[in-house]
Amino acid sequence: MSALLRFILVAALIAAASPCARADVVDGNGQFSAGFESNPEGAVAAARALVASGDINGAIHGLSIYVADHPRELEPARLLGDLYYRAGNLREAEWTYRTILTQFPYDRETHNRLGAVYAAENRVDDAIAEYNKSLPGTDSIGSLVQLHQRRGDLQAYRDQVERTAKLYPTDPDAQHEFGEVLYALHDDALALQYFQRELDESPASLFGLNSEAKIYMDEDDYPAAVTLLQRCLRIDPANYSCIVNLAAADLEQQRNDEATALLTHARALRPEMPEALVNLGYIQDEQGNWKGAIALYLKALAVSPFSVDAYHNLGYDYYQHRLFDLAESVLLKGLTVSPNDGPLHYILGETYAEQGKNAMAVAQFTAAKSSGDPGLTSLANKRIAQLGSTGLVH
């Protein structure tokens, strides 16, 4: 495997169907869809089963019927909004989440999801407001860092979160939030200190265990990461993030069979989520089955057109196999989802460079440096120097 592939094609870690109109309250025969007639748990399970089979439209249709008839049941309504979002139907996702918030105005998970919708629509101020309402207790800090960077007030945001963490040193939420800011800004060593302070105060924090484990994986200390993730799973054996991150640790240790078993389990638990599919594709790539990998990355994007990891890996596979038009298309689409994503800019730069489009390549390598990742910055600087030395950059 090339150094570039090892650097870019990383396993996804966690901290498209056609848009569908809202379904009628009942189907054409005046009945609930099969599996959706009983209770909220049954409705959620039925929807996830349809997603797992590839029928996201059917899941949306059946779940929308159920939610219309059970408007005060949170989990089915949240999942319906999630499926609209993952199908790319942002209008219906927003409508669903806002409807939930009229009844449950302090529901943090729904504020978090509505923030994601606004971020996808580049409604930066609205997204920041919703993400702030979701705290503490959600995974919105990384998104807030990106949004404040877009708005141009990232330093002020960082300083504010740091002040809160120092003012309340025994508040685990305050320690976690600043740790997440530092992690997003690639200051892993300092972030680790704040996550450890969080776990000192709240040893059962799933967010803290996951976040600290990700840093240990970044440092190639996989035994430490695995210990934390196993603690996480003892607390919550069905925690999707813990399972996917433990699988990622197995992947980095070349334990592909163990990783596959974990990812298959994660996929069964949350088929509407793309990370397990991306990592299963990564395994296919490592085994040399790039066409099988591409099929899984495309499936991940069908589940969620906002999966940046899927764009990374799919774009790289197309680039590596000299399918440059497809690579450009995928990478540019990914940049509409995440405009400041360093790896997307870098792979696009390599795609342009391979075609002799050196000036366009340098522009992408320069943009890649804005991510702040020191490893990616080093790669980008090296490529800019190489292209400049050819005298072909105009």
Side-chain angles (χ1 to χ4, degrees), residues 7-222:
F7 186 84
I8 296 295
L9 198 61
V10 292
L13 295 174
I14 306 178
S18 300
C20 306
R22 271 196 304 280
D24 295 331
V25 175
V26 293
D27 66 17
N29 299 316
Q31 301 293 325
F32 288 113
S33 298
F36 290 87
E37 63 272 8
S38 55
N39 53 53
E41 293 79 13
V44 167
R48 284 181 170 152
L50 286 170
V51 173
S53 73
D55 187 7
I56 193 170
N57 286 345
I60 288 172
H61 177 80
L63 199 55
S64 64
I65 292 169
Y66 182 90
V67 168
D69 202 57
H70 302 81
R72 292 193 61 80
E73 293 180 0
L74 261 176
E75 289 303 318
R78 277 205 207 115
L79 180 57
L80 177 60
D82 295 350
L83 295 181
Y84 279 132
Y85 172 79
R86 296 185 184 287
N89 192 339
L90 299 181
R91 181 179 65 84
E92 292 296 340
E94 178 184 356
W95 183 91
T96 303
Y97 295 141
R98 287 174 65 88
T99 299
I100 293 171
L101 291 171
T102 62
Q103 301 181 78
F104 305 97
Y106 303 109
D107 184 61
R108 292 172 180 164
E109 289 289 346
T110 302
H111 282 295
N112 188 34
R113 288 157 162 81
L114 185 55
V117 171
Y118 290 151
E121 296 176 329
N122 203 32
R123 295 166 59 178
V124 173
D125 291 343
D126 290 336
I128 288 172
E130 291 300 324
Y131 279 134
N132 282 330
K133 291 175 186 176
S134 79
L135 296 172
T138 64
D139 59 353
S140 61
I141 296 296
S143 298
L144 278 166
V145 168
Q146 294 178 13
L147 289 164
H148 281 287
Q149 185 175 33
R150 273 196 239 175
R151 195 163 74 174
D153 62 348
L154 177 57
Q155 187 62 48
Y157 170 66
R158 182 200 180 282
D159 292 346
Q160 171 229 316
V161 180
E162 181 179 18
R163 282 194 298 271
T164 302
K166 290 182 175 179
L167 187 61
Y168 302 101
T170 60
D171 182 339
D173 292 325
Q175 305 312 300
H176 180 82
E177 288 177 22
F178 188 47
E180 288 290 349
V181 169
L182 293 166
Y183 182 71
L185 296 174
H186 308 287
D187 191 345
D188 287 5
L190 189 55
L192 186 61
Q193 294 180 30
Y194 280 88
F195 291 140
Q196 189 55 57
R197 291 179 191 177
E198 173 193 7
L199 290 172
D200 288 343
E201 298 297 328
S202 181
S205 168
L206 300 182
F207 281 120
L209 292 166
N210 261 308
S211 297
E212 192 163 304
K214 287 191 292 184
I215 289 180
Y216 282 124
M217 279 193 277
D218 289 345
E219 295 176 349
D220 298 331
D221 188 349
Y222 302 112

Side-chain angles (χ1 to χ4, degrees), residues 281-301:
Y282 177 87
I283 291 171
Q284 293 299 307
D285 259 318
E286 286 215 314
Q287 294 174 344
N289 182 14
W290 65 275
K291 291 183 179 178
I294 282 174
L296 286 164
Y297 300 144
L298 289 170
K299 192 171 183 180
L301 288 172

